[in-house]
């Protein structure tokens, strides 16, 4: 108990290399400093060697999939003991399937690149449906009567597979750029091979010219989105790093439409902490990937904001009367009564945000 208030247990449930990462430690240290919470980190031994009845009981669970994580076991735990979930677990199944991700984005009217899906029977190397066809020509691809001229993108349907290829027309030298998870100083490599892959299920989509930048967006709740730009791996495949060895990223100001897209993604996938990729091309914006649970790296301001929002979110769900105490700690000069807090919680109007301050200064004659 804190004074007369109970400390709530927050379970951190993920693979150890994720739960012990720098950004996670930064945020957990800030949550722990609030004295409202007890942080319980699930170890790999707990995840794999113990049954769910032996897992720690928690009031709130922050659980997230990464390669090797026992997602179905975590879902069973959440269904049985019903902790408050920061990120919905069953929706994380969908995030692992790029076809399902695009379908949900389209259903929610979130713009995505023009694309077509080719699904194959892996054993027979044939399309799953007899009406699915693929015709490959030198500078274009015909999939189910949808024609994609080069350059176009080939993505595995399985979101755990990060080997994404971009095929170029003969007029640009042909071949393909092969993207993969960063390995030392490389994030892609050029290949002279111009033919698409013959095994596996893929999404083929129109290549979007983005002036050599990718935009990564990170949401925390429904009304907060942090965005950064990095050099696109489609350029030369080299990873630009700062003097500390971190990948160079630059802060990005999101437009009102892009902020609304961030909210739509968070709501659609039921992920309060969620990362996704934006493409800014031809005066429009598109979502090309949803990564699920993701943190910003090396940003103390983001860590402060994330911990504050998570604290309010958890207390709002578990003990709303404590929210005003939390806010008085952060903003001690602003008097807040419990009645005001309750009215604010019930209110459905969106928060206002200061976008910028403009100053016009005239030099004296």
């Amino acid at each position: 108990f804190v004074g007369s208030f109970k400390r709530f247990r927050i379970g951190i449930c993920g693979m150890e290399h994720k739960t012990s990462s720098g950004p996670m430690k930064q945020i957990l240290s800030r949550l722990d400093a609030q004295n409202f919470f007890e942080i319980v980190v699930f170890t790999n031994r707990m995840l794999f060697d113990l049954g769910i009845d032996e897992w720690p009981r928690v009031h709130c669970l922050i659980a997230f999939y990464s390669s090797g994580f026992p997602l179905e076991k975590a879902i069973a735990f959440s269904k049985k003991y019903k902790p408050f979930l920061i990120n919905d677990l069953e929706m994380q199944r969908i995030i692992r399937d790029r076809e399902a991700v695009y379908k949900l984005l389209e259903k929610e009217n979130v713009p995505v690149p023009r694309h077509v899906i080719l699904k194959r029977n892996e054993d027979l190397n044939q399309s799953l449906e007899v009406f699915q066809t693929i015709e490959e020509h030198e500078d274009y691809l015909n999939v189910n009567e949808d024609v994609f001229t080069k350059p176009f993108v080939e993505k595995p349907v399985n979101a755990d597979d990060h080997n994404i290829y971009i095929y170029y027309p003969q007029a640009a030298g042909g071949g393909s750029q092969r993207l993969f998870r960063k390995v030392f100083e490389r994030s892609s490599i050029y290949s002279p091979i111009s033919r698409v892959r013959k095994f596996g299920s893929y999404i083929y989509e129109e290549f979007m010219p983005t002036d050599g930048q990718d935009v990564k967006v990170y949401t925390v709740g429904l009304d907060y989105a942090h965005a950064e730009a990095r050099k696109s791996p489609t350029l030369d495949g080299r990873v630009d790093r700062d003097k500390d060895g971190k990948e160079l990223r630059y802060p990005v100001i999101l437009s009102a439409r892009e902020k609304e897209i961030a909210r739509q993604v968070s709501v659609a996938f039921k992920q309060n902490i969620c990362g996704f990729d934006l493409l800014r091309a031809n005066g429009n914006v598109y979502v090309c990937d949803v990564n699920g649970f993701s943190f910003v790296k090396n940003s103390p301001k983001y860590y402060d904001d994330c911990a504050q929002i998570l604290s309010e979110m958890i207390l709002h769900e578990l003990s709303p009367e404590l929210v005003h105490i939390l806010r008085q700690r952060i903003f001690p000069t602003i008097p807040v009564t419990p009645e005001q807090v309750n009215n604010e919680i019930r209110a459905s109007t969106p928060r206002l945000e200061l976008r910028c301050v403009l100053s016009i200064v005239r030099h004296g004659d």
Side-chain angles (χ1 to χ4, degrees), residues 62-342:
I62 301 177
F64 50 95
Y65 174 83
S66 62
S67 181
F69 178 73
L71 180 59
E72 298 306 317
K73 199 172 180 180
I75 290 173
F77 175 79
S78 69
K79 285 184 175 179
K80 184 168 185 178
Y81 294 104
K82 296 180 171 50
F84 170 53
L85 295 177
I86 295 298
N87 280 19
D88 186 89
L89 283 165
E90 295 191 68
M91 290 299 291
Q92 292 183 37
R93 292 190 188 120
I94 288 179
I95 293 173
R96 297 178 63 192
D97 182 333
R98 288 191 176 100
E99 177 185 8
V101 165
Y102 269 20
K103 284 183 177 178
L104 183 54
L105 289 172
E106 290 180 308
K107 180 182 176 183
E108 298 298 322
N109 296 315
V110 175
V112 298
R114 185 176 76 89
H115 65 279
V116 67
I117 295 162
L118 177 72
K119 301 190 75 171
R120 288 192 177 101
N121 183 314
E122 300 299 328
D123 296 326
L124 301 178
N125 189 28
Q126 294 175 344
S127 298
L128 289 174
E129 306 289 346
V130 294
F131 58 80
Q132 286 197 322
T133 60
I134 178 169
E135 297 176 7
E136 187 173 10
H137 301 268
E138 185 174 82
D139 278 343
Y140 70 92
L141 190 71
N142 186 328
V143 182
N144 304 332
E145 302 305 318
D146 277 322
V147 175
F148 290 82
T149 57
K150 293 180 180 179
F152 60 76
V153 182
E154 179 187 64
K155 293 179 180 177
V157 168
N158 178 5
D160 289 338
D161 186 344
H162 299 276
N163 295 293
I164 296 171
Y165 294 179
I166 300 169
Y167 296 92
Y168 297 109
Q170 288 301 313
S176 55
Q177 194 75 16
R178 304 190 167 194
L179 283 59
F180 43 79
R181 277 195 178 276
K182 291 189 290 288
V183 179
F184 300 112
E185 303 304 317
R186 304 294 306 183
S187 59
S188 72
I189 191 168
Y190 175 79
S191 168
I193 297 174
S194 296
R195 295 290 181 178
V196 301
R197 286 172 277 190
K198 304 303 180 185
F199 295 89
S201 298
Y202 298 96
I203 297 176
Y204 292 96
E205 67 182 47
E206 189 175 344
F207 177 78
M208 297 289 179
T210 60
D211 296 327
Q213 284 191 335
D214 287 348
V215 177
K216 318 288 282 188
V217 182
Y218 303 86
T219 71
V220 185
L222 303 184
D223 300 314
Y224 182 96
H226 174 99
E228 297 178 338
R230 68 170 185 181
K231 185 177 79 173
S232 172
T234 62
L235 289 180
D236 58 9
R238 292 191 61 82
V239 179
D240 289 343
R241 299 187 184 276
D242 62 19
K243 59 182 178 60
D244 298 318
K246 304 286 187 181
E247 182 181 27
L248 281 176
R249 296 194 176 191
Y250 309 92
V252 169
I253 296 176
L254 296 176
S255 68
R257 174 60 180 137
E258 289 167 341
K259 290 182 180 181
E260 178 57 29
I261 288 173
R263 182 184 179 91
Q264 286 177 281
V265 170
S266 183
V267 170
F269 292 90
K270 300 180 183 177
Q271 307 291 297
N272 281 300
I273 298 177
C274 188
F276 65 94
D277 297 345
L278 273 182
L279 299 176
R280 290 171 165 176
N282 304 320
N284 297 309
V285 61
Y286 307 88
V287 175
C288 64
D289 201 6
V290 177
N291 307 308
F293 192 93
S294 301
F295 281 146
V296 176
K297 300 176 179 65
N298 199 32
S299 174
K301 176 64 166 62
Y302 168 83
Y303 301 147
D304 291 342
D305 292 342
C306 183
Q308 173 68 12
I309 294 168
L310 283 176
S311 297
E312 291 191 20
M313 189 184 303
I314 295 167
L315 290 180
H316 179 199
E317 177 69 23
L318 301 177
S319 186
E321 67 275 10
L322 296 182
V323 175
H324 76 283
I325 297 177
L326 175 69
R327 290 180 178 171
Q328 284 179 320
R329 284 181 183 172
I330 306 301
F331 308 108
T333 60
I334 303 176
V336 182
T337 67
E339 292 76 17
Q340 288 174 317
V341 172
N342 289 332

